[in-house]
Amino acid sequence: MKRYDLRARTDQLDPETDYEEMSRILAAQEFPWDINQALSFALFRTYAVPSIGKLLFSTGEFTDRVQKRYDDTSLILDAVLEHGLGSDQGRSSVRRMNQMHGSYDISNDDMRYVLATFVVTPVRWLESYGWRPLTPNEIAGSTFYYRELGRHMNIKDMPTTYDGFATLLDEYEREHFSFDPGARAVADSTLELMCTFPPNNLAPKPLIKAFAYSLMDDHLLEAFGYKRPPAVVRALSRGALKARGRLLRFFPPRTARKFARDLPNIRSYPAGYKVDQLGTFPTGCPVKHVKPSEQAQA
């Protein structure tokens, strides 16, 4: 294949009907590293909304078991992407997400905002750091994909277009971003985890964190109480990612698809896993959730 063959393929697909295949090509073949980074930052942004950050802190999962929570989130979403929303694995994954979210009092507005970060952040990341930006057809397909995921998650009043999601995200962050100590603890724990990922683990932690701060906008830094990095550090960090993108233009396209489970960052399940056993099974919820293993014993 030539470098732009996958772009030609996605632009031949119908974004309203072929959105799952388009999303697989983009996330697992054309931009696996970039979209993984973008979605990680998308989730990171949500911590700066206190109603989200405080809830995540209160569970203890994102401070005491952050590696497992990172892995579970990636693998659950990975199963939907790889197998499709209509597959057994896809339905099990969505069911797991809905069970976990249903255990807590999460507003539709917060759920809709989190979905918006998944729609918008990869597009903006690739505009800034990718070897090419997404085409309008690809953006439309990705938007349809996440709208369908949101529909299966019972999220109401979703925007119908990418521009609508972008407006929702920007307005929600302007209105809701603010400092909360619990949210800051979740953010700190996530950055500590990031420092352990290869090849980050080969560099000093302060250097890796400085790089991460340099990719954050000022509004996000202020919400977490992080200091703004020096302009030269920000320029070098962002310049390094831009240079990577320019260099990748000369590389051949990936022929084999690479899913989240193939990444070295995923480390909690060396012996394998089952999607319906991923995530948390909170106790003391309004609705009792029974683990599949307990159902089998009953």
Side-chain angles (χ1 to χ4, degrees), residues 4 6 28 33 38 47 53 56 60 75 78 89 91 114 118 124 128 138 150 160 163 168 170 192 205 224 237 249:
Y4 288 88
L6 291 175
W33 186 86
Y47 306 161
L56 296 177
L75 293 173
D78 197 47
Q89 297 94 327
R91 288 194 295 269
V114 174
F118 275 67
R124 291 179 174 175
S128 298
E138 290 169 336
T160 58
D163 289 341
L168 184 156
D170 292 336
E192 286 289 331
K205 280 186 181 182
F224 287 131
S237 299
R249 293 174 190 170

Side-chain angles (χ1 to χ4, degrees), residues 1-271:
M1 287 193 298
K2 297 181 180 179
R3 193 62 175 115
Y4 288 88
D5 283 357
L6 291 175
R7 186 183 70 177
R9 168 65 177 152
T10 56
D11 276 347
Q12 291 171 354
L13 298 175
D14 185 338
E16 296 189 28
T17 58
D18 300 323
Y19 50 82
E20 289 187 321
E21 177 62 9
M22 292 177 72
S23 295
R24 277 190 285 270
I25 291 172
L26 294 174
Q29 198 167 356
E30 187 79 307
F31 305 108
W33 186 86
D34 288 281
I35 289 182
N36 181 65
Q37 300 305 309
L39 293 180
S40 295
F41 268 100
L43 283 175
F44 189 85
R45 296 191 74 83
T46 68
Y47 306 161
V49 175
S51 56
I52 298 173
K54 285 193 292 188
L55 173 61
L56 296 177
F57 176 74
S58 70
T59 69
E61 297 291 331
F62 284 78
T63 49
D64 300 335
R65 290 170 289 277
V66 63
Q67 175 73 65
K68 190 174 187 302
R69 291 290 72 78
Y70 174 90
D71 293 353
D72 289 352
T73 300
S74 299
L75 293 173
I76 287 172
L77 293 172
D78 197 47
V80 178
L81 176 70
E82 181 176 5
H83 301 288
L85 284 158
S87 68
D88 290 342
Q89 297 94 327
R91 288 194 295 269
S92 293
S93 298
V94 174
R95 189 180 306 116
R96 268 282 58 223
M97 286 193 289
N98 290 342
Q99 287 171 343
M100 287 186 286
H101 293 153
S103 299
Y104 304 100
D105 184 16
I106 306 174
S107 71
N108 185 73
D109 285 348
D110 278 353
M111 294 282 286
R112 190 173 52 178
Y113 162 68
V114 174
L115 187 69
T117 67
F118 275 67
V119 174
V120 176
T121 307
V123 176
R124 291 179 174 175
W125 177 281
L126 290 167
E127 284 177 352
S128 298
Y129 309 121
W131 70 267
R132 69 169 177 87
L134 295 183
T135 67
N137 199 55
E138 290 169 336
I139 293 172
S142 180
T143 303
F144 273 104
Y145 176 79
Y146 282 112
R147 271 182 52 82
E148 189 65 10
L149 177 60
R151 186 179 70 82
H152 281 74
M153 296 172 66
N154 301 311
I155 300 176
K156 309 300 182 184
D157 302 319
M158 293 179 289
T160 58
T161 65
Y162 170 80
D163 289 341
F165 275 106
T167 298
L168 184 156
L169 182 144
D170 292 336
E171 291 181 350
Y172 206 74
E173 291 183 347
R174 277 196 296 269
E175 181 178 352
H176 293 280
F177 268 14
S178 62
F179 180 80
D180 177 83
R184 166 64 183 263
V186 172
D188 288 346
S189 180
T190 302
L191 289 177
E192 286 289 331
L193 176 67
M194 185 189 72
C195 292
T196 71
F197 291 159
N200 298 350
N201 59 317
L202 302 178
K205 280 186 181 182
L207 180 63
I208 298 301
K209 290 182 180 180
F211 181 83
Y213 298 145
S214 296
L215 303 184
M216 301 179 197
D217 55 86
D218 290 344
H219 193 194
L220 184 61
L221 290 167
E222 292 168 3
F224 287 131
Y226 293 143
K227 294 181 179 179
R228 295 184 186 182
V232 64
V233 175
R234 178 171 278 177
L236 287 172
S237 299
R238 297 185 178 189
L241 284 178
K242 291 177 184 292
R244 172 189 173 275
R246 288 192 293 270
L247 181 63
L248 286 179
R249 293 174 190 170
F250 301 99
F251 281 56
R254 179 181 294 276
T255 55
R257 294 183 177 179
K258 186 174 186 178
F259 292 95
R261 66 173 183 275
D262 302 315
L263 301 175
N265 301 351
I266 306 297
R267 299 176 285 195
S268 297
Y269 305 100

